[in-house]
């Protein structure tokens, strides 16, 4: 469970996060949506202790990330390619992740088999450093790394970015299958509204750092309300 209490972050006069109370329950697949500048990435960086809040706190499984690192062994995240060690090949990178997680190389190899369809023959066996991969294949490495240790909480910022349509469809199955098999909590931000609605059990709509709507999403029930909101935004800008 993730709890947010009175969380605030400003950049100068810009309000990036202003959330009084919000709880993400175990097993939720929370889709975080909003226009550019809504505060989605800022919220994720606050959750991961990559940004210090101006006020308030977050709790991941009753642990405050600012006070302890115990949460890190249960959380997998990918925000951008800065999370990667780009002077390694993908194989070297996952061998390293496995080593620091206490996995044997055999266990690493077995785990990576779960992602063969998603990797699509373009990530492994290419004899390329991560820095020399395409943007889409770097994205695949990052997403696989977030899921690799089978964490109970997964945070992905714009995971569908840079992926071709086939890979986007495979990723939807990867994420929903992972959630079903592990019971993990997933937090996913995306500008792709359709993909977000397809996979999320709940959707939080952000505007100027504030969660203005918290929508249940059984059978894509949030789609109409979200379409109305973003259609209104377009009309307001016209």
């Amino acid at each position: 469970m993730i709890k947010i209490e009175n969380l605030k972050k400003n950049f100068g006069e810009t309000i990036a996060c202003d959330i009084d109370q919000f709880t993400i329950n175990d097993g939720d697949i929370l889709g975080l949506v909003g226009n550019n500048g809504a505060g989605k990435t800022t919220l994720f960086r606050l959750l991961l202790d990559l940004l210090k809040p101006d006020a308030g706190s977050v709790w991941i499984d009753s642990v405050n990330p600012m006070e302890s690192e115990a949460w890190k062994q249960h959380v997998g995240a990918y925000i951008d390619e800065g999370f990667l060690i780009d002077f390694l090949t993908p194989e070297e990178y996952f061998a390293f992740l496995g080593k620091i997680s206490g996995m044997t190389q055999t266990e690493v190899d077995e785990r990576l088999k779960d992602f063969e369809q998603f990797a699509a023959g373009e990530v492994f066996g290419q004899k390329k450093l991560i820095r020399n991969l395409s943007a889409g294949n770097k994205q695949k490495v990052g997403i696989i790394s977030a899921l690799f240790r089978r964490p109970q909480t997964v945070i992905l910022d714009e995971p569908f970015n840079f992926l071709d349509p086939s890979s986007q469809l495979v990723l939807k199955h990867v994420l929903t299958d992972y959630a079903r098999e592990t019971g993990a909590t997933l937090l996913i931000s995306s500008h792709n509204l359709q993909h977000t609605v397809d996979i999320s059990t709940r959707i939080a709509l952000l505007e100027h750092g504030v969660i203005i709507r918290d929508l249940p999403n059984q059978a894509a029930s949030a789609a109409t309300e979200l379409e109305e909101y973003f259609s209104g935004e377009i009309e307001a800008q016209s």
Side-chain angles (χ1 to χ4, degrees):
M1 178 183 292
I2 298 174
K3 295 185 70 175
I4 298 171
E5 297 180 348
N6 304 311
L7 190 64
K8 300 181 187 301
K9 182 67 180 179
N10 293 354
F11 296 107
E13 297 182 358
T14 301
I15 299 172
C17 183
D18 186 2
I19 301 173
D20 290 334
Q21 301 283 333
F22 193 69
T23 299
I24 303 162
N25 300 308
D26 292 340
D28 278 351
I29 304 178
L30 179 74
L32 200 63
V33 300
N35 289 318
N36 288 336
K40 302 183 296 295
T41 300
T42 296
L43 176 57
F44 282 173
R45 289 187 175 276
L46 289 166
L47 290 173
L48 295 168
D49 196 31
L50 299 173
L51 277 176
K52 299 300 181 186
D54 297 327
S57 58
V58 300
W59 303 84
I60 300 177
D61 295 330
S62 301
V63 176
N64 185 331
M66 292 190 295
E67 298 175 353
S68 169
E69 295 192 352
W71 60 279
K72 289 185 176 180
Q73 46 192 312
H74 308 296
V75 176
Y78 184 66
I79 304 296
D80 56 41
E81 62 185 76
F83 276 52
L84 304 174
I85 305 176
D86 68 358
F87 57 81
L88 301 177
T89 66
E91 289 88 345
E92 291 170 338
Y93 179 54
F94 287 107
F96 170 74
L97 292 182
K99 186 174 183 178
I100 64 175
S101 302
M103 299 169 66
T104 66
Q105 187 59 49
T106 299
E107 290 171 329
V108 170
D109 294 340
E110 284 298 310
R111 180 69 181 119
L112 291 178
K113 288 180 181 178
D114 293 343
F115 301 102
E116 286 181 348
Q117 185 181 9
F118 182 50
E122 299 175 337
V123 173
F124 302 111
Q126 303 303 300
K127 298 182 180 179
K128 287 185 178 181
L129 302 180
I130 292 172
R131 67 174 57 155
N132 295 328
L133 296 176
S134 69
N137 287 330
K138 287 179 185 176
Q139 188 82 342
K140 291 180 180 182
V141 173
I143 292 166
I144 294 170
S145 70
L147 302 173
F148 181 70
R149 295 181 295 116
R150 299 183 75 84
Q152 281 304 111
T153 300
V154 177
I155 297 175
L156 298 173
D157 192 22
E158 299 289 351
F160 298 102
N161 274 6
F162 311 118
L163 300 182
D164 60 40
S166 296
S167 296
Q168 291 181 24
L169 293 174
V170 173
L171 177 58
K172 286 175 20 176
H173 289 292
V174 167
L175 295 176
T176 53
D177 288 350
Y178 182 86
R180 185 183 67 253
E181 293 167 4
T182 65
T185 304
L186 275 60
L187 285 69
I188 297 164
S189 78
S190 179
H191 284 119
N192 190 311
L193 202 58
Q194 186 59 59
H195 288 339
T196 306
V197 168
D198 286 346
I199 67 175
S200 301
T201 61
R202 180 181 174 194
I203 292 180
L205 175 58
L206 269 75
E207 185 177 281
H208 304 302
V210 178
I211 295 176
I212 61 171
R213 300 184 195 177
D214 179 9
L215 305 173
N217 190 45
Q218 285 75 28
S221 59
T224 300
E225 187 167 346
L226 291 171
E227 184 174 343
E228 289 175 353
Y229 169 80
F230 286 107
S231 295
E233 287 288 291
I234 292 172
E235 291 174 4
Q237 294 170 14
S238 299

